[in-house]
Amino acid sequence: DAMVIQNPRYQVTQFGKPVTLSCSQTLNHNVMYWYQQKSSQAPKLLFHYYDKDFNNEADTPDNFQSRRPNTSFCFLDIRSPGLGDAAMYLCATSTGRVGGYTFGSGTRLTVV
Amino acid sequence: GNSVTQMEGPVTLSEEAFLTINCTYTATGYPSLFWYVQYPGEGLQLLLKATKADDKGSNKGFEATYRKETTSFHLEKGSVQVSDSAVYFCALIIYNQGGKLIFGQGTELSVKP
């Protein structure tokens, strides 16, 4: 089945140690998104790629970076994770047209 | 600006009760409207959608009608099950304004046997 896959499901990292989360899709969608969701809150958009064009939300911290080497893969890099970065990170894709987003199962990040 | 407001949770119901989760929106354009469901520890799943006024989205016994006159997209189900316990998010997209999915704050539903 075509889908959005996030790895790993659970990630534990040390305070200040760089960490990378990955997302892949078999839907061939143009647009890929990264959301941060903290406990009991709505997901918050960090950035998105429309094809190779990168779009950063104004309030996304500089600590967060992203790479999209090809259509299928997108990575979220957290350069120096702090305790406040512990959250569920959701990847999503869309065609950019009517139909909504398809979300992955998420990666739950714990910072120790 | 564009925003979504949902009724506050948690909502606690007995099995087979009727469910309504209210959702209203503010939009400067013509949004498409969505309900997403999130089960504990999982990502978001699209539950249903409606792309224009008076459309009714439906899936798994859930329904919502796009009401432009009241700017609402309330979620309903006639008889809830324990397995419906989850957090429900109402959301909108305006495709000619960058296509960003804008979420409401989420409503937690707990269904008791």
Side-chain angles (χ1 to χ4, degrees):
Chain A
D1 289 341
M3 58 176 59
V4 180
I5 301 168
Q6 290 189 245
N7 286 306
R9 288 293 306 274
Y10 302 93
Q11 175 75 55
V12 180
T13 190
Q14 293 180 340
F15 183 95
K17 183 176 181 180
V19 64
T20 295
L21 310 181
S22 72
C23 176
S24 64
Q25 55 135 339
T26 59
L27 297 160
N28 204 33
H29 284 173
N30 302 80
V31 196
M32 295 187 77
Y33 308 82
W34 279 104
Y35 282 82
Q36 179 192 64
Q37 185 182 23
K38 296 190 175 180
S39 182
S40 303
Q41 297 182 20
K44 177 181 177 298
L45 182 63
L46 295 174
F47 24 60
H48 73 278
Y49 278 91
Y50 197 112
D51 293 324
K52 294 183 178 180
D53 292 333
F54 177 71
N55 299 272
N56 201 33
E57 293 301 295
D59 56 354
T60 298
D62 292 339
N63 197 27
F64 290 85
Q65 304 287 322
S66 184
R67 297 170 283 134
R68 189 179 185 185
N70 53 52
T71 301
S72 301
F73 286 88
C74 195
F75 300 98
L76 171 61
D77 301 310
I78 308 177
R79 292 192 295 186
S80 182
L83 297 178
D85 296 327
M88 173 79 89
Y89 290 88
L90 296 165
C91 175
T93 71
S94 82
T95 62
R97 297 186 297 274
V98 175
Y101 291 17
T102 301
F103 281 85
S105 297
T107 295
R108 182 164 295 282
L109 178 69
T110 300
V111 181
V112 297
Chain B
N2 304 312
S3 66
V4 177
T5 302
Q6 293 179 231
M7 66 186 287
E8 288 193 17
V11 173
T12 302
L13 296 173
S14 298
E15 208 165 20
E16 300 184 1
F18 185 85
L19 168 71
T20 300
I21 301 178
N22 290 338
C23 170
T24 57
Y25 67 89
T26 303
T28 55
Y30 300 98
S32 294
L33 301 174
F34 304 85
W35 276 100
Y36 282 87
V37 59
Q38 187 173 35
Y39 298 101
E42 299 291 325
L44 292 161
Q45 298 177 26
L46 178 64
L47 182 59
L48 53 84
K49 66 183 180 187
T51 59
K52 61 183 187 297
D54 300 325
D55 271 2
K56 177 186 282 188
S58 61
N59 185 26
K60 299 180 181 179
F62 291 89
E63 293 183 340
T65 301
Y66 188 141
R67 302 285 188 200
K68 187 177 179 183
E69 62 276 13
T70 54
T71 63
S72 64
F73 193 55
H74 304 322
L75 183 68
E76 296 181 337
K77 187 175 184 182
S79 176
V80 294
Q81 304 301 312
V82 172
S83 57
D84 294 326
S85 299
V87 180
Y88 292 81
F89 290 95
C90 185
L92 68 83
I93 297 177
I94 302 178
Y95 287 97
N96 63 356
Q97 293 182 12
K100 295 179 187 178
L101 190 61
I102 297 170
F103 288 97
Q105 71 269 37
T107 302
E108 182 181 357
L109 170 66
S110 177
V111 181
K112 305 298 185 185

